Coordinates of all heavy atoms in Angstrom, one line a residue:
Chain B
G673 N 10.3 1.5 9.4 CA 11.6 2.1 9.5 C 11.6 3.5 10.0 O 12.5 4.3 9.8
D674 N 10.5 3.8 10.8 CA 10.4 5.1 11.5 C 9.5 4.9 12.7 O 8.6 4.0 12.6 CB 9.9 6.1 10.6 CG 10.3 7.5 11.0 OD1 11.0 7.7 12.0 OD2 9.9 8.5 10.3
D675 N 9.7 5.6 13.8 CA 8.8 5.4 15.0 C 7.5 6.1 14.8 O 6.4 5.5 15.1 CB 9.5 6.0 16.2 CG 10.8 5.3 16.5 OD1 10.9 4.1 16.2 OD2 11.8 5.9 17.0
K676 N 7.5 7.3 14.3 CA 6.3 8.0 14.1 C 6.3 8.8 12.9 O 7.4 9.4 12.5 CB 6.2 9.0 15.4 CG 4.8 9.6 15.5 CD 4.8 10.5 16.8 CE 3.5 11.3 16.9 NZ 3.4 12.2 15.8
S677 N 5.2 8.9 12.2 CA 5.2 9.7 10.9 C 5.2 11.2 11.2 O 4.5 11.6 12.1 CB 4.0 9.3 10.1 OG 3.8 10.1 9.0
P678 N 5.9 11.9 10.4 CA 5.8 13.4 10.6 C 4.5 14.0 10.0 O 4.3 15.2 10.1 CB 7.1 13.9 9.8 CG 7.3 12.8 8.8 CD 6.8 11.5 9.4
V679 N 3.7 13.1 9.4 CA 2.4 13.6 8.9 C 1.3 13.3 9.9 O 1.3 12.3 10.5 CB 2.1 12.8 7.6 CG1 0.8 13.2 7.0 CG2 3.3 13.0 6.5
N680 N 0.4 14.4 10.0 CA -0.6 14.2 11.1 C -1.8 13.5 10.6 O -2.6 13.0 11.4 CB -1.0 15.6 11.6 CG 0.1 16.3 12.2 OD1 0.9 17.0 11.5 ND2 0.2 16.3 13.5
G681 N -2.1 13.6 9.3 CA -3.3 13.0 8.8 C -3.3 12.8 7.3 O -2.4 13.3 6.6
V682 N -4.3 12.1 6.8 CA -4.3 11.9 5.3 C -5.7 12.1 4.8 O -6.7 11.9 5.3 CB -4.0 10.3 5.1 CG1 -3.8 10.1 3.7 CG2 -2.7 10.0 5.8
I683 N -5.7 12.8 3.6 CA -6.9 13.1 2.9 C -6.8 12.3 1.6 O -5.8 12.4 0.9 CB -7.0 14.6 2.6 CG1 -6.7 15.4 3.8 CG2 -8.4 14.9 2.0 CD1 -7.8 15.5 4.9
N684 N -7.9 11.6 1.3 CA -7.9 10.8 0.0 C -8.0 11.8 -1.2 O -8.7 12.8 -1.2 CB -9.0 9.9 -0.1 CG -8.9 8.7 0.8 OD1 -7.8 8.6 1.5 ND2 -9.9 7.9 1.0
M685 N -7.2 11.5 -2.2 CA -7.1 12.4 -3.4 C -8.4 12.5 -4.1 O -8.8 13.6 -4.6 CB -6.0 12.0 -4.4 CG -5.6 13.0 -5.3 SD -4.3 12.6 -6.4 CE -2.9 12.8 -5.3
D686 N -9.1 11.4 -4.3 CA -10.4 11.6 -5.0 C -11.4 12.5 -4.3 O -12.1 13.3 -4.9 CB -11.0 10.1 -5.2 CG -11.2 9.4 -4.0 OD1 -10.7 9.8 -2.9 OD2 -11.9 8.3 -4.0
F687 N -11.4 12.4 -3.0 CA -12.3 13.3 -2.1 C -11.9 14.7 -2.3 O -12.8 15.6 -2.6 CB -12.1 12.8 -0.7 CG -12.8 13.8 0.3 CD1 -14.1 13.6 0.6 CD2 -12.0 14.8 0.9 CE1 -14.7 14.5 1.5 CE2 -12.6 15.6 1.9 CZ -13.9 15.5 2.2
L688 N -10.6 15.0 -2.3 CA -10.2 16.4 -2.3 C -10.4 16.9 -3.8 O -10.7 18.1 -4.0 CB -8.8 16.6 -1.9 CG -8.3 18.0 -1.6 CD1 -9.1 18.6 -0.4 CD2 -6.9 18.1 -1.3
Y689 N -10.1 16.0 -4.8 CA -10.3 16.4 -6.1 C -11.7 16.9 -6.4 O -11.9 18.0 -7.0 CB -10.0 15.3 -7.1 CG -10.3 15.5 -8.5 CD1 -9.5 16.1 -9.4 CD2 -11.6 15.1 -9.0 CE1 -9.8 16.4 -10.7 CE2 -11.9 15.3 -10.3 CZ -11.0 16.0 -11.2 OH -11.4 16.2 -12.5
N690 N -12.7 16.2 -5.9 CA -14.1 16.6 -6.1 C -14.4 17.9 -5.5 O -15.0 18.8 -6.1 CB -15.0 15.5 -5.5 CG -15.1 14.3 -6.4 OD1 -14.8 14.4 -7.6 ND2 -15.3 13.2 -5.8
K691 N -13.9 18.1 -4.3 CA -14.1 19.4 -3.6 C -13.5 20.6 -4.3 O -14.0 21.6 -4.5 CB -13.5 19.3 -2.2 CG -14.3 18.5 -1.2 CD -14.1 19.0 0.2 CE -15.4 18.7 1.0 NZ -15.6 19.6 2.2
V692 N -12.2 20.3 -4.7 CA -11.5 21.4 -5.4 C -12.1 21.7 -6.8 O -12.4 22.9 -7.1 CB -10.0 21.0 -5.6 CG1 -9.3 22.1 -6.5 CG2 -9.3 21.0 -4.2
Y693 N -12.5 20.7 -7.5 CA -13.0 20.9 -8.8 C -14.3 21.6 -8.8 O -14.6 22.5 -9.5 CB -13.2 19.5 -9.5 CG -13.3 19.6 -11.0 CD1 -12.2 20.1 -11.8 CD2 -14.4 19.2 -11.7 CE1 -12.3 20.2 -13.2 CE2 -14.5 19.4 -13.1 CZ -13.5 19.8 -13.8 OH -13.5 19.9 -15.2
Q694 N -15.1 21.2 -7.8 CA -16.4 21.9 -7.5 C -16.2 23.4 -7.2 O -16.8 24.3 -7.8 CB -17.1 21.2 -6.4 CG -18.6 21.4 -6.3 CD -19.2 20.7 -5.1 OE1 -18.5 20.3 -4.2 NE2 -20.5 20.4 -5.2
G695 N -15.2 23.6 -6.3 CA -14.8 25.0 -6.0 C -14.4 25.8 -7.2 O -14.9 27.0 -7.3
I696 N -13.6 25.3 -8.0 CA -13.2 26.0 -9.2 C -14.4 26.3 -10.2 O -14.5 27.4 -10.7 CB -12.1 25.2 -10.0 CG1 -10.8 25.1 -9.1 CG2 -11.8 25.8 -11.3 CD1 -9.7 24.2 -9.7
K697 N -15.2 25.3 -10.4 CA -16.4 25.5 -11.2 C -17.3 26.6 -10.7 O -17.8 27.4 -11.4 CB -17.2 24.1 -11.3 CG -16.5 23.1 -12.2 CD -16.7 23.4 -13.6 CE -15.7 22.6 -14.5 NZ -15.4 23.2 -15.7
N698 N -17.5 26.6 -9.4 CA -18.5 27.5 -8.8 C -18.0 28.9 -8.8 O -18.8 29.9 -8.9 CB -18.7 27.1 -7.3 CG -19.6 25.9 -7.3 OD1 -20.2 25.5 -8.3 ND2 -19.7 25.3 -6.1
R699 N -16.7 29.2 -8.7 CA -16.3 30.6 -8.7 C -16.0 31.2 -10.0 O -15.7 32.4 -10.1 CB -15.1 30.7 -7.7 CG -13.9 30.1 -8.1 CD -13.4 29.5 -6.8 NE -12.0 29.4 -6.5 CZ -11.0 30.2 -6.6 NH1 -11.2 31.3 -7.2 NH2 -9.8 29.9 -6.2
G700 N -16.1 30.4 -11.1 CA -16.0 31.0 -12.4 C -14.8 31.9 -12.7 O -15.0 33.0 -13.2
G701 N -13.6 31.5 -12.2 CA -12.5 32.3 -12.5 C -12.2 33.5 -11.5 O -11.2 34.1 -11.6
K702 N -13.1 33.7 -10.6 CA -12.8 34.8 -9.6 C -12.0 34.3 -8.5 O -12.3 33.3 -7.8 CB -14.2 35.3 -9.1 CG -14.9 36.2 -10.1 CD -16.1 36.9 -9.5 CE -17.2 36.0 -8.9 NZ -18.0 35.4 -9.8

Side-chain angles (χ1 to χ4, degrees):
Chain B
D674 205 357
D675 298 327
K676 195 178 170 295
S677 170
V679 176
N680 299 82
V682 187
I683 313 285
N684 289 354
M685 195 176 284
D686 55 350
F687 170 84
L688 196 66
Y689 170 85
N690 286 334
K691 284 206 153 208
V692 171
Y693 200 63
Q694 201 177 21
I696 290 173
K697 286 280 161 207
N698 287 347
R699 65 226 214 41
K702 287 193 296 286

